[in-house]
Amino acid sequence: MQRYFVDSDAIGPDRVTIRGDDVHHIKNVLRMSPEDRLICCDGQGRDYLTEVESIGTDEVRCRIIDSSPSPGEPGVRVSVASSLPKGDKLEWVLQKGTELGADSFLPFTSARTVVKLDGKRAAKKQIRWQRIVKEAAEQSHRGRIPPVELPGNWRGLLEKFPSYDRVLFAYEKEGQSLADALKGAVGRRFLVVIGPEGGFTEAEAMEAASAGAVPVHLGPRILRAETAPLAILSCIFYSYGEMGGEPL
Ligand code: SAM
């Protein structure tokens, strides 16, 4: 069934009022009519099963039939910090990472980042990134839309490490296996840190370790900057039983 994220103030005791771009989608793309059903999600982990009552020019009014916790939110929170990769590769990470269950995205620049974004372009990009994530969240039945931060710098990222239970620093040159790093993990709030095409410098690896990150390697093959975060997300969610089956 089609899902839409709505602002919490659009949800009343009996009705949901959908506004914005989704009205066009309901009317002209899906060509819905009164009595059709759709799910509205408040973006805070609650789903509302509704029936369309009326379709106007600027809003669609729906009657609430039932509400329940969104089933698509993982029990383990994994944020992804990606050093800005070239071209549209971050968009791939955002879309696929959201489908897999990423909690938030923190793009950043590090010593070998090639991409340069000034403040204005970064703000425009962030709007586009957030839209990609919203669509992926709707499509994959997530209960919330993972936020995408404005690109920050390496120092700013290091300062955020203490907000996480475990920071996994993806480093092909040395470190624990991901399996071992997950075995020793306490808590359920992870940050995964991925380097750019040229990788991290040794100085950055030392700074990350001093700031509390655990260096992890992913075996003998070098993954592209857009493949590594998706591989790590898949492994973490698999090991916590979030991809079906029991936790390992
Ligand atoms: N320039 C590096 C090289 O050629 O050795 C490779 C960098 S890789 C394309 C981009 C990023 O993906 C790395 O900085 C790292 O964060 C992550 N990565 C890729 N393969 C990895 C592996 N086998 N183990 C750990 N991290 C990996």
Side-chain angles (χ1 to χ4, degrees):
M1 193 174 304
Q2 186 66 35
R3 297 166 65 86
Y4 295 99
F5 282 102
V6 293
D7 292 336
S8 48
D9 61 6
I11 303 172
D14 307 312
R15 285 183 173 66
V16 181
T17 307
I18 302 173
R19 299 190 180 88
D21 293 348
D22 293 334
V23 173
H24 164 75
H25 195 257
I26 291 168
K27 254 167 59 169
N28 304 323
V29 180
L30 296 184
R31 296 178 174 275
M32 284 191 161
S33 328
E35 295 185 23
D36 282 343
R37 289 186 173 192
L38 54 85
I39 293 170
C40 295
C41 180
D42 66 2
Q44 309 296 319
R46 195 146 193 95
D47 285 354
Y48 295 82
L49 172 65
T50 70
E51 187 177 271
V52 175
E53 266 188 345
S54 63
I55 303 181
T57 318
D58 301 322
E59 59 179 45
V60 175
R61 283 170 61 84
C62 304
R63 186 175 64 82
I64 297 173
I65 297 168
D66 196 10
S67 86
S68 54
S70 312
E73 278 312 294
V76 52
R77 297 175 64 183
V78 188
S79 294
V80 176
S82 280
S83 183
L84 282 169
K86 290 192 230 163
D88 59 3
K89 289 180 186 142
L90 184 67
E91 296 184 1
W92 173 269
V93 173
L94 298 174
Q95 186 188 62
K96 307 302 171 205
T98 299
E99 290 169 31
L100 286 165
D103 194 64
S104 63
F105 297 94
L106 298 78
F108 66 96
T109 52
S110 53
R112 294 187 182 143
T113 309
V114 177
V115 177
K116 301 278 175 259
L117 284 181
D118 60 23
K120 220 170 159 185
R121 277 190 61 218
K124 266 180 93 174
K125 280 274 188 194
Q126 191 199 23
I127 293 170
R128 178 178 163 78
W129 292 336
Q130 199 62 70
R131 204 185 67 233
I132 290 170
V133 164
K134 176 178 180 275
E135 285 169 7
E138 283 172 348
Q139 180 273 321
S140 59
H141 297 196
R142 294 286 304 271
R144 39 185 297 283
I145 306 172
V148 186
E149 294 191 1
L150 270 172
N153 59 29
W154 173 243
R155 298 258 150 248
L157 183 68
L158 291 177
E159 284 166 16
K160 290 180 182 157
F161 284 9
S163 331
Y164 297 88
D165 297 319
R166 178 147 285 207
V167 179
L168 302 174
F169 178 78
Y171 196 42
E172 59 284 359
K173 293 189 181 146
E174 61 188 29
Q176 301 181 28
S177 69
L178 181 56
D180 285 345
L182 291 177
K183 265 183 222 144
V186 180
R188 294 193 154 234
R189 207 143 181 232
F190 291 88
L191 175 67
V192 172
V193 183
I194 310 292
E197 286 82 355
F200 286 115
T201 63
E202 279 178 28
E204 285 169 336
M206 285 196 303
E207 286 163 355
S210 311
V214 178
V216 289
H217 70 79
L218 304 168
R221 288 167 295 282
I222 302 296
L223 308 181
R224 286 187 182 254
E226 69 275 27
T227 314
L230 302 176
I232 299 181
L233 283 168
S234 304
C235 292
I236 296 178
F237 288 128
Y238 178 74
S239 74
Y240 277 82
E242 289 285 347
M243 301 189 88
E246 294 299 314
L248 297 183

